[in-house]
Amino acid sequence: MVARCSFWTDSWSTVGPLSRYAPQLFTAISRTGRKRTLKDGLDQNLWARAIVGALTAQVLCHYLQVWELLRGVTLNPLQSDRFIWKWSSKYSASSTYRAFFAGSTTLLGARELWKTKAPPRVKFFFWLALHIQLWTAERRKRHGLQEVDDCALCAQAPETEGHLFLGCVFARELWFSLLLPIGLATIMPEHDEDIREWWMRQLRRLDPSAGPVLDSMFFACRLESLKGEEQQDI
Ligand SMILES: [Zn+2]
């Protein structure tokens, strides 16, 4: 039997390496104790005898956590150590790539944007919009770059993304002229709201074949809105 798995630094349990699971306790372990294998550490609880540092409240807390964890651990003396790829039943490059994104969050609309047949610069623009990173007047004011955040088109409300592309009276006029000829006037935006939620809601409402049409409209409307704003700034 080959048993070289390190008690503290190898990822043999569901919580990962114990040195990371209980860092305060790990700092209190002697140098020799840190090099102990799992088999030796479990033998008569030798791992606990290697605690040489100060027994602070955090060390004791981590000690109890590790103790609780080890209660259910029983080694099979006939089984040698072996590597297990935990991201899939068998190692593969694709599972490794997916592992890079473990724990990452998804952005509303990102997948739909990826599938959209829009020019790259439009996609990039919309990508910023999904992250609420466009330099609207409201954002510029928030960063101390200007004193007012009025909408450059109507001057009746703060220029947020939701207002500029959905709620603004000029934007709604544009939407109406685009949606009416193709019979989609019912999805007209009615007020300022989160553009991501509005877009996703309308995509769910529409027939799948109408989705690309809406996408094109959406991007076109946004670009026209911006062009209008730039002209007013000039
Ligand atoms: Zn406006």
Side-chain angles (χ1 to χ4, degrees), residues 90-111:
K90 190 178 174 185
Y91 170 78
S92 66
S94 60
S95 66
T96 309
Y97 182 74
R98 284 196 300 274
F100 280 122
F101 302 98
S104 62
T105 56
T106 55
L107 178 69
L108 185 63
R111 182 177 296 180

Side-chain angles (χ1 to χ4, degrees), residues 151-158 163-164 167-170:
C151 170
L153 298 175
C154 69
Q156 293 176 355
H163 173 80
L164 189 59
C168 180
V169 62
F170 288 91

Side-chain angles (χ1 to χ4, degrees), residues 89-164:
S89 57
K90 190 178 174 185
Y91 170 78
S92 66
S94 60
S95 66
T96 309
Y97 182 74
R98 284 196 300 274
F100 280 122
F101 302 98
S104 62
T105 56
T106 55
L107 178 69
L108 185 63
R111 182 177 296 180
E112 288 75 10
L113 175 64
W114 181 255
K115 294 177 183 173
T116 304
K117 294 175 181 175
R121 70 187 186 94
V122 177
K123 281 190 175 184
F124 181 70
F125 172 82
F126 195 60
W127 179 250
L128 292 176
L130 291 181
H131 284 278
I132 318 292
Q133 294 293 315
L134 291 178
W135 284 103
T136 58
E138 184 272 337
R139 188 169 184 232
R140 293 198 296 270
K141 181 186 177 187
R142 195 154 31 89
H143 286 265
L145 299 174
Q146 62 187 55
E147 293 186 350
V148 294
D149 61 358
D150 292 343
C151 170
L153 298 175
C154 69
Q156 293 176 355
E159 189 193 85
T160 60
E161 292 189 341
H163 173 80
L164 189 59

Side-chain angles (χ1 to χ4, degrees), residues 156-157 161-176 179 184-195 197-199 201-202 205 218 221:
Q156 293 176 355
E161 292 189 341
H163 173 80
L164 189 59
F165 302 115
L166 296 177
C168 180
V169 62
F170 288 91
R172 296 180 62 219
E173 196 176 314
L174 181 59
W175 272 113
F176 188 72
L179 293 173
L184 292 177
T186 52
I187 66 170
M188 268 279 297
E190 295 177 352
H191 47 75
D192 298 6
E193 66 174 307
D194 189 306
I195 55 170
E197 292 176 5
W198 183 85
W199 184 33
R201 196 167 66 244
Q202 305 314 329
R205 281 179 59 189
F218 197 30
C221 191

Side-chain angles (χ1 to χ4, degrees), residues 8 24-34 47-48 50-53:
W8 290 102
Q24 296 297 327
L25 175 60
F26 183 64
T27 57
I29 298 293
S30 67
R31 281 193 178 184
T32 313
R34 293 182 188 187
W47 69 272
I51 301 175
V52 294

